[in-house]
PDB file of all heavy atoms in Angstrom:
ATOM      1  N   TRP W 122     -12.403   5.776  -6.743  1.00  0.00           N
ATOM      2  CA  TRP W 122     -12.029   4.413  -7.169  1.00  0.00           C
ATOM      3  C   TRP W 122     -13.229   3.811  -7.879  1.00  0.00           C
ATOM      4  O   TRP W 122     -14.372   4.037  -7.474  1.00  0.00           O
ATOM      5  CB  TRP W 122     -11.656   3.581  -5.936  1.00  0.00           C
ATOM      6  CG  TRP W 122     -11.015   2.248  -6.178  1.00  0.00           C
ATOM      7  CD1 TRP W 122     -10.315   1.850  -7.282  1.00  0.00           C
ATOM      8  CD2 TRP W 122     -10.994   1.133  -5.264  1.00  0.00           C
ATOM      9  NE1 TRP W 122      -9.850   0.572  -7.112  1.00  0.00           N
ATOM     10  CE2 TRP W 122     -10.249   0.112  -5.883  1.00  0.00           C
ATOM     11  CE3 TRP W 122     -11.530   0.919  -3.994  1.00  0.00           C
ATOM     12  CZ2 TRP W 122     -10.032  -1.132  -5.280  1.00  0.00           C
ATOM     13  CZ3 TRP W 122     -11.301  -0.315  -3.390  1.00  0.00           C
ATOM     14  CH2 TRP W 122     -10.561  -1.323  -4.018  1.00  0.00           C
ATOM     15  N   HIS W 123     -12.968   3.030  -8.911  1.00  0.00           N
ATOM     16  CA  HIS W 123     -14.072   2.428  -9.667  1.00  0.00           C
ATOM     17  C   HIS W 123     -14.781   1.362  -8.865  1.00  0.00           C
ATOM     18  O   HIS W 123     -15.935   1.044  -9.111  1.00  0.00           O
ATOM     19  CB  HIS W 123     -13.531   1.807 -10.973  1.00  0.00           C
ATOM     20  CG  HIS W 123     -12.615   0.636 -10.720  1.00  0.00           C
ATOM     21  ND1 HIS W 123     -13.037  -0.680 -10.819  1.00  0.00           N
ATOM     22  CD2 HIS W 123     -11.303   0.579 -10.362  1.00  0.00           C
ATOM     23  CE1 HIS W 123     -12.023  -1.473 -10.539  1.00  0.00           C
ATOM     24  NE2 HIS W 123     -10.965  -0.747 -10.247  1.00  0.00           N
ATOM     25  N   TYR W 124     -14.094   0.790  -7.849  1.00  0.00           N
ATOM     26  CA  TYR W 124     -14.532  -0.463  -7.227  1.00  0.00           C
ATOM     27  C   TYR W 124     -15.398  -0.244  -5.993  1.00  0.00           C
ATOM     28  O   TYR W 124     -16.050  -1.175  -5.532  1.00  0.00           O
ATOM     29  CB  TYR W 124     -13.258  -1.237  -6.847  1.00  0.00           C
ATOM     30  CG  TYR W 124     -13.429  -2.674  -6.432  1.00  0.00           C
ATOM     31  CD1 TYR W 124     -13.745  -3.653  -7.358  1.00  0.00           C
ATOM     32  CD2 TYR W 124     -13.226  -3.055  -5.092  1.00  0.00           C
ATOM     33  CE1 TYR W 124     -13.869  -4.977  -6.969  1.00  0.00           C
ATOM     34  CE2 TYR W 124     -13.354  -4.382  -4.699  1.00  0.00           C
ATOM     35  CZ  TYR W 124     -13.678  -5.330  -5.649  1.00  0.00           C
ATOM     36  OH  TYR W 124     -13.793  -6.636  -5.274  1.00  0.00           O
ATOM     37  N   ASP W 125     -15.384   0.969  -5.450  1.00  0.00           N
ATOM     38  CA  ASP W 125     -16.015   1.143  -4.132  1.00  0.00           C
ATOM     39  C   ASP W 125     -17.212   2.074  -4.156  1.00  0.00           C
ATOM     40  O   ASP W 125     -17.648   2.542  -3.101  1.00  0.00           O
ATOM     41  CB  ASP W 125     -14.980   1.625  -3.098  1.00  0.00           C
ATOM     42  CG  ASP W 125     -14.534   3.068  -3.343  1.00  0.00           C
ATOM     43  OD1 ASP W 125     -14.880   3.632  -4.392  1.00  0.00           O
ATOM     44  OD2 ASP W 125     -13.850   3.627  -2.471  1.00  0.00           O
ATOM     45  N   VAL W 126     -17.766   2.323  -5.350  1.00  0.00           N
ATOM     46  CA  VAL W 126     -18.889   3.243  -5.432  1.00  0.00           C
ATOM     47  C   VAL W 126     -20.158   2.520  -4.964  1.00  0.00           C
ATOM     48  O   VAL W 126     -20.542   1.499  -5.538  1.00  0.00           O
ATOM     49  CB  VAL W 126     -19.082   3.741  -6.884  1.00  0.00           C
ATOM     50  CG1 VAL W 126     -20.142   4.838  -6.941  1.00  0.00           C
ATOM     51  CG2 VAL W 126     -17.767   4.228  -7.459  1.00  0.00           C
ATOM     52  N   PRO W 127     -20.814   3.031  -3.922  1.00  0.00           N
ATOM     53  CA  PRO W 127     -22.035   2.346  -3.443  1.00  0.00           C
ATOM     54  C   PRO W 127     -23.135   2.394  -4.500  1.00  0.00           C
ATOM     55  O   PRO W 127     -23.157   3.327  -5.326  1.00  0.00           O
ATOM     56  CB  PRO W 127     -22.443   3.149  -2.213  1.00  0.00           C
ATOM     57  CG  PRO W 127     -21.418   4.194  -2.006  1.00  0.00           C
ATOM     58  CD  PRO W 127     -20.512   4.239  -3.169  1.00  0.00           C
ATOM     59  N   SER W 128     -24.046   1.436  -4.451  1.00  0.00           N
ATOM     60  CA  SER W 128     -25.057   1.387  -5.521  1.00  0.00           C
ATOM     61  C   SER W 128     -25.951   2.629  -5.512  1.00  0.00           C
ATOM     62  O   SER W 128     -26.343   3.093  -6.575  1.00  0.00           O
ATOM     63  CB  SER W 128     -25.872   0.106  -5.441  1.00  0.00           C
ATOM     64  OG  SER W 128     -26.180  -0.171  -4.125  1.00  0.00           O
ATOM     65  N   TRP W 129     -26.206   3.207  -4.342  1.00  0.00           N
ATOM     66  CA  TRP W 129     -27.041   4.418  -4.338  1.00  0.00           C
ATOM     67  C   TRP W 129     -26.380   5.552  -5.108  1.00  0.00           C
ATOM     68  O   TRP W 129     -27.054   6.341  -5.768  1.00  0.00           O
ATOM     69  CB  TRP W 129     -27.394   4.871  -2.918  1.00  0.00           C
ATOM     70  CG  TRP W 129     -26.231   5.333  -2.085  1.00  0.00           C
ATOM     71  CD1 TRP W 129     -25.557   4.639  -1.135  1.00  0.00           C
ATOM     72  CD2 TRP W 129     -25.579   6.616  -2.151  1.00  0.00           C
ATOM     73  NE1 TRP W 129     -24.532   5.371  -0.618  1.00  0.00           N
ATOM     74  CE2 TRP W 129     -24.525   6.605  -1.207  1.00  0.00           C
ATOM     75  CE3 TRP W 129     -25.780   7.764  -2.904  1.00  0.00           C
ATOM     76  CZ2 TRP W 129     -23.669   7.678  -1.006  1.00  0.00           C
ATOM     77  CZ3 TRP W 129     -24.930   8.855  -2.702  1.00  0.00           C
ATOM     78  CH2 TRP W 129     -23.882   8.799  -1.757  1.00  0.00           C
TER      79      TRP W 129
END
Side-chain angles (χ1 to χ4, degrees):
W122 191 24
H123 66 99
Y124 191 72
D125 70 350
V126 187
S128 42
W129 66 260

